């Protein structure tokens, strides 16, 4: 038998040595130069965007000019450019002598100190009209504490020079570069980024985007699998770790593997006690509040729900996995009928992520009645009743959607039941989505506010898929606080967070319940048409390509083309 070749650790050691030697020089870079580095990054994002999208589309099994490729513009170049722009907005405020957070943006809600973080600019109000985001802080955090603690890296409390290891995710292209930007700019650390084998093809693109940081020794990219990851996490010159992945990955790093891992976890004697942050997913719910929905509302929200499931073939940590609906609402079956219609209409694509076929097989094994649409990838389980059902206990990470019917004769009763179910029955606290008609919210304001306050998720989207919070840059992204290394759940810590806030509990996103101009009649007026990231949007790819060009080079002359494409969608 031929043994496997020994791992060559020399390139890994060399990369860490270079970073260690350069860590202090990054700490010393003054704010104006940090700003200039990001400004010079934007043209490189623009130049590399078509190639990055083409490679991502090819890896996922379709052409770069396919409608599906809209998601690759959203989740790679646009997300990166949008987040860089968010950091630039805040850093320029600091350079001008202002506080990072405008004092007028800080207020009190439900006894909490809350920060309005989006829209932050006039462009935000124009291009994402009607979309808002607020960050809730931990109970007991005062307005004065929030304002004083923000942006400590740039206000007399810089971090010590350090080497951070970012273990890249294999699903969404923007995850790794956004984590790098966070480590550099929010925590003041140089970064070793290990690419995930699933999307290691993106490494050349990222090296070009971060070219100046690579040249000056502040960022290094390496490839490798589990063996290289294990070596790097235990390297003596790696100071801290950030990982996007699964709970199993975290536990293997912290507690080790084999027979003694469980005992080490119980005794809290880790094999790796480096500072550790993580984003680990879970079983994400979409909660549908009963209300006076029109036929157009059912269609639009069905497209919304299907998008939250089928974007990236469901290979998202906050893909909607469980639809919580009212058992006795006459709209439940109408909504499911529209969801089925959308599932049938969409062109075929495969679930490309490793292991997806096995995970979907487990769903059909547990649910022979599961409905398949066009291919074996799109599954709908229309009525889950067993509390121990694997759809309720395990993240599928593929395109299967389950439905749970809950009691509640009116909106307040249903919202209490849905909040309790989501908090207590579904594992994970990363993201949840709440759909509620504006007239229902006005009629039952206290019940809706209670649900928003009580849902224990790091990002809650109200009429907005929670994943949108991953994209904006201003909105902190991470699990709801309270997890520990012994019970890691969806992870510990927040990334992105361009306002550099501390004491974060969660982000609450809001979007119009209906697109323009129909929102005028539903009570959610805005200028926003059907979002370009909807899987049903036929001009989404063109709109996102134009939005990316604007995000990297915001010329007014680009706006008419964006609006024209968006309206056609």
């Amino acid at each position: 038998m031929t043994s496997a070749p020994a791992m060559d650790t020399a390139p890994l050691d060399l990369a860490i040595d270079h970073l260690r030697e350069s860590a202090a020089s990054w700490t010393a870079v003054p704010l104006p130069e940090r700003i200039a580095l990001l400004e010079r990054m934007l043209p490189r994002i623009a130049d590399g965007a078509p190639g990055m999208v083409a490679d991502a589309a090819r890896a996922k099994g379709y052409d770069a000019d396919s409608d599906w490729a809209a998601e690759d513009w959203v989740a790679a170049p646009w997300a990166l450019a949008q987040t860089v722009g968010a950091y630039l907005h805040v850093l320029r405020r600091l350079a001008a002598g202002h506080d990072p957070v405008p004092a007028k943006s800080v207020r009190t809600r439900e006894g909490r100190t809350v920060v309005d973080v989006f829209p932050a600019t006039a462009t935000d109000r124009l291009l994402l009209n009607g979309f808002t985001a607020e960050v809730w802080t931990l109970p007991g955090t005062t307005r004065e504490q929030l304002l004083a603690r923000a942006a400590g890296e740039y206000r007399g409390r810089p971090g010590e020079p350090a080497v951070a290891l970012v273990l890249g995710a294999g699903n969404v292209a923007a995850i790794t570069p956004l984590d790098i930007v966070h480590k550099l700019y929010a925590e003041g650390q140089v970064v070793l980024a290990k690419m995930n084998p699933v999307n290691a093809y993106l490494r050349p693109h990222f090296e070009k985007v971060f070219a100046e940081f690579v040249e000056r020794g502040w960022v290094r990219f390496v490839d490798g699998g589990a063996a290289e990851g294990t070596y790097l996490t235990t390297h003596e010159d790696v100071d801290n770790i950030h990982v996007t992945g699964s709970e199993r990955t975290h536990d293997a790093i912290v507690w080790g593997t084999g027979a003694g891992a469980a005992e080490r976890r119980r005794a809290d004697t880790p094999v790796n006690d480096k500072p550790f942050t993580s984003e680990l997913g879970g079983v994400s719910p979409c909660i549908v509040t009963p209300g006076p929905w029109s036929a157009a509302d059912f269609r639009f929200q069905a497209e919304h729900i299907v998008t939250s499931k089928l974007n990236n073939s469901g290979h998202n940590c906050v893909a909607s996995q469980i639809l919580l609906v009212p058992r006795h609402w006459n709209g439940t079956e109408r909504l499911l009928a529209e969801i089925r219609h959308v599932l049938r209409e969409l062109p075929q694509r495969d679930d490309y992520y490793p292991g997806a076929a096995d995970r979907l097989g487990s769903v059909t094994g547990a649910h022979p009645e599961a409905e398949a649409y066009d291919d074996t990838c799109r599954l709908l389980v229309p009525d889950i009743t067993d509390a121990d059902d694997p759809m309720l206990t395990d993240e599928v990470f593929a395109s299967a959607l389950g439905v749970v019917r809950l009691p509640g004769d009116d909106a307040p009763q249903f919202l209490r039941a849905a909040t309790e179910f989501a908090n207590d029955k579904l594992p994970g606290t990363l993201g949840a989505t709440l759909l509620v008609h504006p007239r229902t919210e006005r009629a039952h304001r206290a019940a809706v506010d209670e649900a928003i306050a009580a849902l224990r998720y790091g990002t809650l989207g109200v009429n907005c898929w929670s994943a949108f919070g991953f994209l904006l840059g201003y909105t902190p992204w991470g699990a709801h606080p309270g997890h520990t290394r012994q019970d890691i759940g969806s992870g510990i810590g927040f990334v992105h967070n361009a306002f550099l806030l501390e004491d974060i509990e969660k982000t609450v996103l809001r979007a119009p319940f209906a697109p323009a101009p129909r929102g005028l009649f539903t009570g959610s007026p805005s200028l926003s048409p059907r979002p370009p990231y909807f899987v049903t949007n036929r001009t989404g790819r063109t709109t996102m390509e134009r939005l990316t060009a604007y995000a990297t080079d915001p010329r007014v002359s680009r706006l008419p083309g964006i609006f024209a494409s968006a309206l056609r969608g």
Side-chain angles (χ1 to χ4, degrees):
M1 179 181 293
T2 302
S3 61
M7 179 176 57
D8 182 7
T9 62
L12 307 179
D13 294 331
L14 184 61
I16 294 174
D17 288 345
H18 287 166
L19 290 166
R20 175 62 63 192
E21 292 169 0
S22 304
S25 68
W26 171 248
T27 302
V29 172
L31 179 56
E33 177 59 12
R34 290 194 182 196
I35 292 172
L37 284 160
L38 288 181
E39 290 172 339
R40 294 193 294 269
M41 182 187 287
L42 288 171
R44 295 196 296 273
I45 297 172
D47 291 344
M52 193 183 304
V53 169
D55 282 352
R58 187 180 306 111
K60 293 195 281 185
Y62 47 80
D63 294 331
D65 59 358
S66 163
D67 289 343
W68 291 116
E71 72 187 33
D72 302 302
W73 282 98
V74 173
W78 181 78
L80 183 52
Q82 167 68 21
T83 298
V84 168
Y87 274 93
L88 282 170
H89 173 73
V90 176
L91 295 175
R92 287 167 180 159
R93 285 184 55 84
L94 290 165
H98 303 303
D99 290 337
V101 182
K104 65 180 181 181
S105 299
V106 184
R107 55 191 174 83
T108 300
R109 179 185 174 99
E110 301 293 326
R112 305 289 178 81
T113 299
V114 173
V115 189
D116 293 316
V117 297
F118 191 87
T121 68
T123 299
D124 296 336
R125 294 181 183 89
L126 181 65
L127 294 178
L128 287 168
N129 190 259
F131 286 74
T132 64
E134 58 188 25
V135 174
W136 289 39
T137 58
L138 294 169
T141 304
T142 66
R143 185 176 188 274
E144 293 72 24
Q145 287 171 334
L146 182 143
L147 290 169
R149 292 176 182 173
E153 176 71 15
Y154 303 93
R155 301 167 78 200
R157 302 187 306 279
E160 293 293 325
V163 176
L165 171 64
V166 168
L167 296 177
N171 57 333
V172 176
I175 291 176
T176 300
L178 294 187
D179 289 344
I180 294 170
V181 171
H182 175 85
K183 283 293 185 180
L184 287 166
Y185 279 86
E187 300 185 20
Q189 300 168 359
V190 297
V191 183
L192 177 65
K194 189 193 83 65
M195 298 298 297
N196 189 292
V198 177
N199 60 8
Y201 59 85
L202 291 168
R203 174 179 169 173
H205 298 289
F206 295 163
E207 288 180 326
K208 291 177 182 176
V209 167
F210 287 94
E212 284 191 87
F213 296 86
V214 173
E215 290 165 5
R216 297 171 72 170
W218 299 326
V219 174
R220 286 286 185 273
F221 292 90
V222 296
D223 294 326
E228 287 79 5
T230 300
Y231 180 78
L232 293 171
T233 59
T234 58
H235 199 289
E236 62 180 1
D237 283 328
V238 166
D239 297 302
N240 60 72
I241 304 166
H242 179 77
V243 59
T244 302
S246 70
E247 185 175 353
R248 294 183 300 278
T249 301
H250 167 274
D251 287 349
I253 294 169
V254 174
W255 309 112
T257 57
E263 178 55 35
R264 287 190 290 270
R265 181 174 171 179
R266 282 192 296 270
D268 195 18
T269 54
V271 297
N272 190 331
D273 62 357
K274 295 179 188 291
F276 203 120
T277 54
S278 52
E279 188 258 85
L280 306 175
V283 176
S284 293
C286 178
I287 300 169
V288 180
T289 313
W293 292 27
S294 68
D297 293 333
F298 282 109
R299 173 67 185 191
F300 180 78
Q301 294 301 342
E303 294 176 11
H304 189 183
I305 291 164
V306 172
T307 294
S308 73
K309 176 74 272 181
L310 292 190
N311 175 277
N312 202 34
S313 290
H315 308 315
N316 291 317
C317 292
V318 284
S320 293
Q321 181 163 315
I322 296 297
L323 192 63
L324 299 179
V325 294
R327 182 178 298 148
H328 301 299
W329 180 43
N330 60 7
T332 290
E333 295 308 322
R334 293 185 65 184
L335 177 62
L336 292 178
E338 288 291 351
I339 288 173
R340 292 180 175 103
H341 184 64
V342 176
L343 289 171
R344 282 192 294 268
E345 284 185 333
L346 288 170
Q348 183 174 347
R349 68 179 290 186
D350 294 328
D351 283 18
Y352 69 90
Y353 208 82
D358 291 339
R359 294 190 296 275
L360 290 170
S362 296
V363 173
T364 55
H367 291 281
E369 79 284 6
E371 303 168 11
Y373 290 87
D374 290 338
D375 49 60
T376 58
C377 292
R378 294 176 204 159
L379 300 178
L380 177 67
V381 182
D383 191 8
I384 294 174
T385 57
D386 184 354
D388 296 322
D389 192 288
M391 284 286 286
L392 304 181
T393 59
D394 301 316
E395 183 179 6
V396 175
F397 210 67
S399 49
L401 177 67
V403 181
V404 172
R405 292 166 166 78
L406 295 176
D409 294 331
D410 57 20
Q413 291 179 349
F414 171 76
L415 283 171
R416 285 192 290 272
T419 300
E420 180 181 354
F421 190 96
N423 283 343
D424 299 338
K425 302 295 185 182
L426 300 180
T429 64
L430 187 61
T433 301
L434 171 64
L435 304 182
V436 55
H437 194 286
R439 289 206 291 273
T440 303
E441 183 167 6
R442 286 195 297 272
H444 303 287
R445 178 76 62 184
V448 174
D449 287 348
E450 180 183 349
I452 291 171
L455 283 162
R456 295 193 296 269
Y457 289 87
T459 297
L460 174 64
V462 181
N463 298 327
C464 179
W465 180 27
S466 61
F468 202 67
F470 170 85
L471 302 168
L472 292 178
Y474 298 104
T475 41
W477 182 253
H480 194 275
H483 299 298
T484 67
R485 64 186 181 187
Q486 290 172 284
D487 182 17
I488 195 60
S490 290
I492 296 173
F494 288 90
V495 292
H496 308 181
N497 186 22
F499 281 110
L500 306 169
L501 302 171
E502 297 188 20
D503 307 309
I504 299 162
E505 182 187 63
K506 63 182 171 185
T507 297
V508 179
L509 298 162
R510 283 184 174 269
F513 180 78
R518 194 165 53 81
L520 289 170
F521 307 104
T522 64
S524 58
S526 75
L527 300 177
S528 292
R530 173 182 281 100
Y533 58 85
F534 270 32
V535 293
T536 50
N537 192 313
R538 296 303 184 187
T539 65
R541 178 178 54 81
T542 299
T543 303
M544 289 312 308
E545 185 173 354
R546 293 175 180 178
L547 279 169
T548 301
Y550 184 85
T552 56
D553 181 17
R555 284 183 277 161
V556 174
S557 60
R558 297 187 187 277
L559 294 175
I562 294 171
F563 296 145
S565 179
L567 289 170
R568 287 197 302 272

